[in-house]
Amino acid sequence: MVEVLESCFVVPSDETPKGRLWLSNLDQFDRGLFSGTVNFYKKTKATSFFSIEVLKASLAKALVLFYPLAGRCIVGSDGRLELDCNAKGCFFVRAQLDRTFDSINFQPSQELEELFIPSTQMAGSPFLLLMIQATYLKCGGVVLGFAVNHIITDAHSNFHFIRTWASITRGDLSSIVPPSFDQTPLRARSPPIVKFDHSPYKDNAASARSTPTDSTTTKLRLSKEQVSTLKIRCNRGKVTKISTFCSVASLLWKCYCYAQNLAPDTTGHLIFLVNIRSRLQPQLPQSHFGNAIVEASVQSKVSKITSSPLQAVAEIVQTAVDSVNDEYVRSLIDYLEIVGNESVYRKEAPKSELRVNSISGMPLYDADFGWGSPQLVSRWRVNGNRLIYISNEPGENGGIELVVTIDSATMHRFLKMLHEELNAGN
């Protein structure tokens, strides 16, 4: 049982801009959804190891730069979500747990969330943007749990904030890149112009926002050698270079379609996220803070996915990823302007749909607060069924980690097919 020792609101240490912050159509999509990670830090000999006073003082400084996170979410007169930059602070909890690191299963689950993530009920408000919990374990280690409201950040922005807070804590101010909150480049055109079929944002192809009881979650690891072999296999004889993501995503899609035993003439859908910062014209700065991601998809008959060589499947996935350009993103923003955010709330995904989200290549482990990098970084929640998260392993291992959540009845067949496909490349 977690024992809460202290809870408070940490406010910015200096004066910050006040007023309303406009949110783009891409920010309106995940109302009320919190996401984030839990980071485990191994005990060191430092006498000030994760000093709570040091953490709160540096957090207050970080909130000066990331001042919207100290505000609150509100609904404007037009029904759109906005941020009230009022400097009321983020919710911070200090807790202790009479358990060791080895006794805790860090696989995303309700238990992991209850152990290391504050609740909006505890904070007394559902309109918060950031909640953090520092939990001190029996073994001397510390778990930092982050819950960030998805209306203001994507994964890229989350890690930008964590890296900045860590840099301030360890006194390395030279590495800090201030965030940009300018959402003007993401405004809809007038009049809106929709040129594409944005199927991932339509009800009949929408993903679940709560994990059904008949699903199961497991963590898998692909070694550096397996990933390298997979990429070589997918790029064999190809003019267009197949990326690591497309190689892995095509493998997962192929195995998933096998495992689900779908009718051959069923249309299978693969949905994925794309970071658009470098795809817009002109480009958004990498320091852009907010949701600069869009969902895109590729579809094909199940018979073609399961019977085609893996490199052929990878090629159609790569083509779909490459097609997410400035014109596509502008069309999506305009589509959301027309239909309104209420119409894109999501329902449970059909069995013919698989969603693959990747944060591989992001600085998950670049979060050294002065006492070393985290030994483990894990999601604490899975936001849906028929969903696979891809992330990189720590250090120089070069492998990737998969968090797979699919139907319980399907998992055994999926793992079997994955094992066979990986061995087929040897």
Side-chain angles (χ1 to χ4, degrees):
M1 188 73 176
V2 177
E3 180 184 358
V4 174
L5 303 176
E6 173 190 1
S7 64
C8 64
F9 287 93
V10 176
V11 301
S13 59
D14 292 317
E15 189 70 20
T16 57
K18 302 296 191 298
R20 302 284 181 89
L21 184 65
W22 182 84
L23 297 175
S24 79
N25 289 338
L26 302 181
D27 293 319
Q28 304 289 323
F29 195 39
D30 284 315
R31 293 188 170 204
L33 175 67
F34 281 82
S35 62
T37 60
V38 289
N39 297 10
F40 169 73
Y41 294 84
K42 190 176 180 179
K43 171 69 175 176
T44 70
K45 294 181 180 180
T47 54
S48 61
F49 180 72
F50 277 90
S51 161
I52 203 68
E53 291 77 15
V54 171
L55 286 178
K56 290 197 291 186
S58 59
L59 176 58
K61 293 178 181 178
L63 289 175
V64 175
L65 289 172
F66 292 82
Y67 64 90
L69 289 176
R72 297 294 182 268
C73 170
I74 60 173
V75 179
S77 57
D78 58 358
R80 291 176 62 93
L81 294 178
E82 300 176 350
L83 295 189
D84 182 8
C85 299
N86 54 23
K88 288 188 176 180
C90 71
F91 189 57
F92 187 89
V93 173
R94 176 170 65 99
Q96 66 181 16
L97 180 63
D98 191 26
R99 292 175 62 178
T100 63
F101 168 76
D102 293 336
S103 71
I104 300 168
N105 182 0
F106 279 90
Q107 183 167 288
S109 64
Q110 184 68 34
E111 180 191 24
L112 196 65
E113 179 176 349
E114 291 173 354
L115 287 176
F116 300 118
I117 301 299
S119 66
T120 53
Q121 290 79 13
M122 183 190 301
S125 171
F127 307 111
L128 289 165
L129 299 172
L130 173 64
M131 300 185 293
I132 299 172
Q133 180 171 312
T135 307
Y136 297 78
L137 303 182
K138 183 179 180 180
C139 59
V142 171
V143 176
L144 287 183
F146 299 91
V148 189
N149 197 317
H150 216 317
I151 68 161
I152 180 59
T153 67
D154 57 14
H156 184 97
S157 296
N158 285 351
F159 294 124
H160 184 190
F161 165 73
I162 294 172
R163 290 177 75 187
T164 301
W165 180 26
S167 296
I168 293 173
T169 307
R170 68 173 187 269
D172 181 14
L173 303 185
S174 63
S175 64
I176 293 175
V177 178
S180 169
F181 301 110
D182 181 15
Q183 305 292 333
T184 305
L186 299 179
R187 287 187 179 272
R189 293 171 292 194
S190 182
I193 305 170
V194 179
K195 294 184 176 181
F196 299 89
D197 177 26
H198 299 286
S199 57
Y201 291 83
K202 296 178 179 178
D203 282 345
N204 62 353
S207 301
R209 278 317 189 206
S210 60
T211 306
T213 55
D214 65 344
S215 67
T216 186
T217 299
T218 190
K219 274 188 178 183
L220 305 172
R221 176 183 179 271
L222 299 186
S223 68
K224 180 179 181 179
E225 292 71 27
Q226 286 175 315
V227 174
S228 176
T229 300
L230 183 62
K231 282 192 69 177
I232 292 171
R233 182 179 167 193
C234 289
N235 279 282
R236 194 171 294 145
K238 295 297 177 186
V239 176
T240 303
K241 184 179 179 181
I242 308 298
S243 69
T244 298
F245 169 77
C246 292
S247 299
V248 175
S250 59
L251 170 69
L252 298 173
W253 193 24
K254 190 177 177 74
C255 292
Y256 176 81
C257 289
Y258 268 122
Q260 283 285 27
N261 280 334
L262 298 169
D265 61 346
T266 302
T267 299
H269 294 261
L270 176 68
I271 295 180
F272 48 88
L273 293 176
V274 179
N275 183 338
I276 63 171
R277 287 172 175 81
S278 62
R279 294 176 182 249
L280 291 180
Q281 297 298 328
Q283 295 184 5
L284 291 174
Q286 289 301 305
S287 59
H288 175 87
F289 196 84
N291 284 292
I293 52 173
V294 301
E295 287 189 340
S297 67
V298 59
Q299 63 184 50
S300 181
K301 293 296 183 183
V302 167
S303 57
K304 184 176 181 180
I305 301 167
T306 55
S307 64
S308 298
L310 183 61
Q311 52 264 46
V313 179
E315 189 168 29
I316 65 171
V317 174
Q318 186 69 61
T319 299
V321 171
D322 292 342
S323 69
V324 179
N325 53 21
D326 182 80
E327 189 176 14
Y328 178 90
V329 175
R330 300 295 173 196
S331 173
L332 171 60
I333 292 172
D334 289 353
Y335 169 76
L336 295 174
E337 184 75 8
I338 293 171
V339 302
N341 53 68
E342 295 290 341
S343 65
V344 294
Y345 278 2
R346 304 183 185 181
K347 300 174 183 177
E348 183 177 343
K351 288 188 175 182
S352 57
E353 178 182 304
L354 176 66
R355 195 161 172 242
V356 178
N357 294 349
S358 175
I359 54 173
S360 182
M362 293 190 188
L364 279 73
Y365 291 86
D366 189 7
D368 179 2
F369 287 78
W371 304 289
S373 298
Q375 302 292 301
L376 177 145
V377 176
S378 174
R379 297 185 63 88
W380 45 267
R381 173 190 286 171
V382 173
N383 295 317
N385 188 15
R386 299 156 193 155
L387 171 63
I388 301 177
Y389 292 103
I390 303 174
S391 62
N392 49 292
E393 289 190 316
E396 302 299 321
N397 292 335
I400 62 174
E401 182 180 84
L402 306 174
V403 177
V404 180
T405 302
I406 57 177
D407 304 86
S408 301
T410 305
M411 182 65 80
H412 177 74
R413 292 194 299 272
F414 174 82
L415 296 177
K416 181 176 182 292
M417 287 307 307
L418 184 64
H419 176 75
E420 290 178 3
E421 281 289 339
L422 287 172
N423 287 335
N426 296 331

